[in-house]
Amino acid sequence: GFFLKAAAVCRQILQLDPERVDDVNLKVAWMCQELGLATEAMGQYQLVVSHYEKAGDTRGCLGILRKMVELDPDNMANGVKLGEMLVQQKMVPEAIREFRRCAEYLRANKRPDDYLKVAERLSFLDPSDLALARELAAIYLEKHDAKRALAKSQGCFKADRH
């Protein structure tokens, strides 16, 4: 029941020792989450992600990004960032799942330009997804981009031969 006071003390600690971003901000984020202050928690988590990125701590970044995506699954910027970090760590199957989740959300929420970018990344990571390749080819044909439509169709033709 003392979360607000504890969060205030943590903020004072950060003013006195700004290098304690990872442990103190994580505590503040957790407390904000417990209080139902999702926006504040996301802000604290973002500070920790920035700290880890500067320190080159990709594993730390991954853990926090997973928490952020869990807290706010509709934030596609965090989802895509998580997907890219998973690719960097050679965790491609997990990255494919995250990009697929993002693509489905973007399609359902009628964000075609963002969907196309994420679907392209997904198609690159999972070239065996012929349904996605066909869908992308159809989108490019609608956009009168024959070159890209042909590139996506060629992958389907090659797969049909085998």
Side-chain angles (χ1 to χ4, degrees):
F2 295 100
F3 285 133
L4 290 175
K5 288 181 182 180
V9 169
C10 287
R11 286 190 183 98
Q12 289 175 339
I13 291 170
L14 284 172
Q15 287 177 344
L16 296 172
D17 187 2
E19 295 302 311
R20 299 197 56 192
V21 168
D22 53 344
D23 61 340
V24 175
N25 281 93
L26 283 174
K27 285 179 179 69
V28 173
W30 176 78
M31 287 184 266
C32 290
Q33 210 170 333
E34 289 296 309
L35 289 168
L37 305 171
T39 304
E40 179 72 20
M42 290 296 281
Q44 296 298 317
Y45 283 136
Q46 187 57 53
L47 291 171
V48 177
V49 166
S50 297
H51 175 76
Y52 283 154
E53 284 177 331
K54 287 178 189 168
D57 184 353
T58 307
R59 283 202 160 318
C61 267
L62 271 175
I64 301 305
L65 279 171
R66 282 184 174 123
K67 286 182 184 189
M68 292 172 76
V69 167
E70 186 178 306
L71 180 62
D72 186 5
D74 295 343
N75 185 323
M76 291 302 104
N78 289 332
V80 169
K81 189 171 186 172
L82 174 59
E84 291 299 345
M85 284 208 154
L86 289 165
V87 169
Q88 287 175 2
Q89 292 299 300
K90 307 213 183 324
M91 301 167 82
V92 177
E94 277 187 63
I96 288 171
R97 280 192 297 277
E98 186 59 28
F99 281 119
R100 195 172 309 282
R101 183 191 72 79
C102 291
E104 288 169 6
Y105 175 90
L106 293 167
R107 181 188 308 132
N109 286 279
K110 301 188 183 348
R111 293 173 51 187
D113 293 337
D114 293 331
Y115 170 75
L116 189 58
K117 290 175 191 171
V118 173
E120 272 293 344
R121 186 67 172 126
L122 182 56
S123 180
F124 175 79
L125 292 171
D126 187 7
S128 67
D129 188 343
L130 300 180
L132 179 61
R134 285 186 200 98
E135 180 185 358
L136 288 170
I139 290 170
Y140 286 129
L141 283 174
E142 286 176 20
K143 291 180 170 276
H144 305 290
D145 190 341
K147 197 181 269 189
R148 286 191 176 146
L150 180 61
K152 292 297 170 190
S153 297
Q154 283 177 336
C156 295
F157 292 134
K158 287 178 187 176
D160 282 345
R161 278 194 214 160
H162 297 90

